Amino acid sequence: MNIDEAISAHAKWKMKLASYISKPDQSLQASVVGANNLCDLGKWLHGDGMKYSRLPEYSKLVADHTQFHQIAAEIIRKADSGHKVTDEIALGAKSKFASASSAIVLSLMAMRSKM
C-alpha cells in the first residue's frame, strides 16, 4: 500500500461509518472497529509500514490512527444503543472524529514527504 492508497482506504472507511450511523444494522462491532490493526491502514502500519517506524511521523500516524478508531468505536456504541448520532455531530467538521480523521491524512502526507 502506498500513501495515496492509504488515504483512499481511510476515506472509504469514513463513508462506511457515515452509512452505518444513518442506519445502524449491527454490521459493525465497536470492539472490532476500536482495534487499530484490522482496517487496511492498520494492517499496513503493523505490517509493511513498520519499515518506516524510525520516522517520528510514523509514531504520530500510529497515535492518530489509534485515536481515530477509539472515537469511531464510541460512535458505533452510541448508535447501537439507540442514541441519535447525526452526521453533523459525529462526523461534522468540528467533531472529534473529523479532527482525528484529518490528523491521519496530515500524518500520511507528512510521511509521504519523508519516504
Side-chain angles (χ1 to χ4, degrees):
M1 171 180 292
N2 66 39
I3 297 297
D4 292 328
E5 291 169 336
I7 291 170
S8 177
H10 177 66
K12 287 177 187 174
W13 201 95
K14 282 176 31 180
M15 296 299 291
K16 183 177 182 176
L17 180 61
S19 175
Y20 183 84
I21 65 172
S22 69
K23 185 177 178 186
D25 61 2
Q26 308 302 311
S27 64
L28 295 177
Q29 303 288 318
S31 60
V32 173
V33 170
N36 72 349
N37 63 342
L38 300 177
C39 68
D40 290 340
L41 177 56
K43 289 175 184 174
W44 180 79
L45 285 170
H46 296 281
D48 291 342
M50 288 189 73
K51 63 186 170 191
Y52 303 107
S53 63
R54 70 191 184 319
L55 299 173
E57 293 82 3
Y58 175 88
S59 297
K60 180 163 179 3
L61 176 57
V62 170
D64 292 340
H65 186 248
T66 298
Q67 181 179 18
F68 170 83
H69 276 278
Q70 291 169 349
I71 293 167
E74 181 59 29
I75 291 169
I76 290 170
R77 279 191 283 279
K78 286 179 181 178
D80 286 348
S81 67
H83 288 90
K84 182 75 173 154
V85 183
T86 64
D87 287 348
E88 295 82 30
I89 295 169
L91 307 180
K94 294 184 180 184
S95 69
K96 285 195 253 181
F97 180 86
S99 295
S101 179
S102 294
I104 288 174
V105 174
L106 292 171
S107 290
L108 282 165
M109 290 170 36
M111 274 192 60
R112 178 174 44 199
S113 72
K114 299 287 180 148
M115 295 166 74

